[in-house]
Amino acid sequence: MPRRKDIKKVLMIGSGPIIIGQACEFDYSGSQACKALREEGYYTILVNSNPATIMTDPNMANVTYIEPLTVDIVTKIIAKERPDAILPTLGGQTGLNLAFFLMKQGILKKYGVESIGASVTAISCAEDRELFKKAMREIGIAMPKSGIATSVEEGMKIGLGIGFPLILRPAYTMGGSGGAIAYNKEELEKHLAKGLETSPVHQILVEQSVLGWKEIEFEVMRDCADNVIMITSMENVDPMGVHTGDSMVVAPAQTLTAEEYTNFVNLSKKIIRRVGITGGGANIQFGQNPENGDIVIIEVNPRLSRSSALASKATGFPIARVATKLAVGLTLPEVMNQITGKTTSFFEPTVDYCVFKICRFTFEKFPKAERILNTSMKAVGEAMSIGRNFKEALQKGIRSLEYSRFGFGADGKDKIKDEALEKPDSALLKEIKDKVRVPNDERIFYLRYAIKAGLSIDEIYELSKIDRWFLDNMKELVEIEEKVRQHKNSRIEEALKLPLEILDEAKKNGFSDRQLAFLLNAKEEAVREFRKKNNKKAVYKLVDTCAGEF
């Protein structure tokens, strides 16, 4: 099926300013979209309020408008340029909302502009809480108990009927903006007022809490011929209750059985078809009860999301570029054939490594902000690492945050020293348990302290609800650390006596030379020399989108 000939001009909506919750990933996707449109021969009109982006480079689009992203301004641009179509799915929530309001006010119909990538009906189905609930009920997919409120009074009535704790999700927002967890009547009233004000349509979902459940995401694509592929699964290390933009995330999902994975894939296919995306991608978020495996749908983003950028880098699959080409009528086989020259239609990236995403927080710059992580995003950036296993990726990810930390502890920079953890007093144990129980920016290091202080995996799981598989891997890192420490030098100048099999094991699990030097009471240079002398050198591998396939 060749690209659409009835479209000549496409209006691309950018993502506006870079803010917490809507950051540079949308400049990346918007730039890819502009390139893909021009590659296919379309006249591209770009509007973005932020000139400090790659997408606003004069070579990206045929014509670029640096203007406020408002209905009035975009209407004037449409009246002047007369585009045939609008592409709102690659500019974050801003682009999506703008397309919706242009439709609602009759602007798209008046000027004969079609929304491609996701029709306005698909956007409404995914973003309008009432329509979404109805659609999911139709295809038999469970949702947490919930109700839609357009006033504080209505929200109070719904919330008190469901029972605390409650999750509040304003409609048509991003980064969890205006969302919150309410544990009592006072909090519910306060958060309802804020959430209704934040939502551009003054609508809020009051939802039964699934705090502590697993959070699983799928990046899904569908073309106009109804081919559907999974780009990758992702699993949040932090359970439900922490915004996915603040969570540690792994790709592919690590703790699902083959049967569970197949079930999620089938549900994702049903959802993208029901929402009605016929040329593009969606990010689908699920909650899974770790006790009995029950699954509920949390939300669907009918656009490229922050997770899409992560999935794209994690798999090497150019999601933004492919989504744009699907939006103009090409099918998945045609697009993949363009990119690889030989790939079949149901090509899906196969990941035989572990990708780990960890967020960067700078609470010191926001002295009034609480260091607690919840459903409203607070991260100012993130790092992504790739390893042959979860432990290696975890340590590399922490190193990449530029906090001057060199891995999962054992680098001489721990807040609580190892000596204190050997015989922790009741005050220290209380501090550790509190930091593990309540999600915060330091929790990853407190998980290590909890292991070293002698808490069992089951105790840490009950406090944090982080899956035992992840906790077991963290415990294995502490055990490797202890193996290395047994060969500690009495003086810093001494020659290293570390057995090569232990060095091998430490390196395969992501220990840096700095960590090994600290554990061995040696200089970092001495560890590096010892490693190289024994032919233990770093190797680099390419991300292979056909990994594990013949």
Side-chain angles (χ1 to χ4, degrees), residues 145-169 182 184-196 202-208:
K145 282 184 206 164
S146 64
I148 314 292
T150 52
S151 68
V152 172
E153 296 70 35
E154 208 178 346
M156 292 296 289
K157 190 178 173 187
I158 294 164
L160 295 173
I162 295 170
F164 296 102
L166 293 160
I167 306 282
L168 306 183
R169 301 181 191 277
N184 53 52
K185 275 175 79 173
E186 292 73 25
E187 286 183 3
L188 177 59
E189 190 169 6
K190 182 179 84 174
H191 296 321
L192 277 169
K194 186 185 174 189
L196 287 164
H202 306 292
Q203 187 196 75
I204 192 165
L205 181 76
V206 181
E207 187 176 77
Q208 167 201 0

Side-chain angles (χ1 to χ4, degrees), residues 112-339:
V113 182
E114 182 187 346
S115 176
I116 58 173
S119 67
V120 178
T121 313
I123 295 170
S124 301
C125 182
E127 294 288 323
D128 185 291
R129 300 299 183 184
E130 194 65 67
L131 292 174
F132 181 63
K133 194 175 170 182
K134 188 177 169 225
M136 293 305 104
R137 203 180 285 134
E138 276 173 26
I139 55 174
I141 294 178
M143 292 185 75
K145 282 184 206 164
S146 64
I148 314 292
T150 52
S151 68
V152 172
E153 296 70 35
E154 208 178 346
M156 292 296 289
K157 190 178 173 187
I158 294 164
L160 295 173
I162 295 170
F164 296 102
L166 293 160
I167 306 282
L168 306 183
R169 301 181 191 277
Y172 292 93
T173 63
M174 184 175 169
S177 182
I181 303 170
Y183 292 94
N184 53 52
K185 275 175 79 173
E186 292 73 25
E187 286 183 3
L188 177 59
E189 190 169 6
K190 182 179 84 174
H191 296 321
L192 277 169
K194 186 185 174 189
L196 287 164
E197 192 183 320
T198 307
S199 168
V201 292
H202 306 292
Q203 187 196 75
I204 192 165
L205 181 76
V206 181
E207 187 176 77
Q208 167 201 0
S209 162
V210 285
L211 292 176
W213 286 30
K214 281 187 196 184
E215 188 166 357
I216 307 288
E217 296 181 59
F218 273 78
E219 204 61 42
V220 193
M221 302 204 92
R222 181 180 181 223
D223 66 17
C224 57
D226 197 30
N227 295 315
V228 178
I229 62 169
M230 306 294 129
I231 306 305
T232 187
S233 61
M234 289 168 276
E235 179 172 3
N236 290 22
V237 176
D238 296 287
M240 292 292 300
V242 177
H243 189 278
T244 192
D246 285 347
S247 272
M248 293 177 282
V249 177
V250 288
Q254 301 288 306
T255 71
L256 300 179
T257 63
E259 193 181 339
E260 285 174 327
Y261 179 83
T262 304
N263 191 17
F264 277 114
V265 166
N266 291 335
L267 290 176
S268 298
K269 287 178 178 177
K270 280 169 86 172
I271 290 163
I272 197 167
R273 286 177 172 134
R274 176 59 189 83
V275 168
I277 291 166
T278 53
N283 169 258
I284 303 175
Q285 294 173 21
F286 298 97
Q288 185 188 35
N289 188 332
E291 306 305 325
N292 58 18
D294 285 352
I295 296 169
V296 294
I297 178 78
I298 303 301
E299 66 180 359
V300 173
N301 290 310
R303 58 174 171 79
L304 265 81
S305 68
R306 183 181 306 99
S307 298
S308 312
L310 173 70
S312 202
K313 291 170 193 164
T315 58
F317 188 99
I319 293 175
R321 189 175 167 209
V322 173
T324 306
K325 296 203 173 204
L326 297 183
V328 294
L330 290 166
T331 61
L332 278 162
E334 288 166 334
V335 178
M336 295 320 302
N337 196 47
Q338 275 186 15
I339 292 169

Side-chain angles (χ1 to χ4, degrees), residues 412-436:
K413 301 203 171 202
D414 281 302
K415 216 174 205 180
I416 301 171
K417 301 297 174 198
D418 289 340
E419 302 76 59
L421 291 166
E422 282 172 20
K423 288 184 180 173
D425 58 26
S426 56
L428 181 55
L429 274 174
K430 183 182 182 306
E431 180 192 339
I432 291 169
K433 286 179 179 179
D434 287 347
K435 288 279 194 178
V436 168

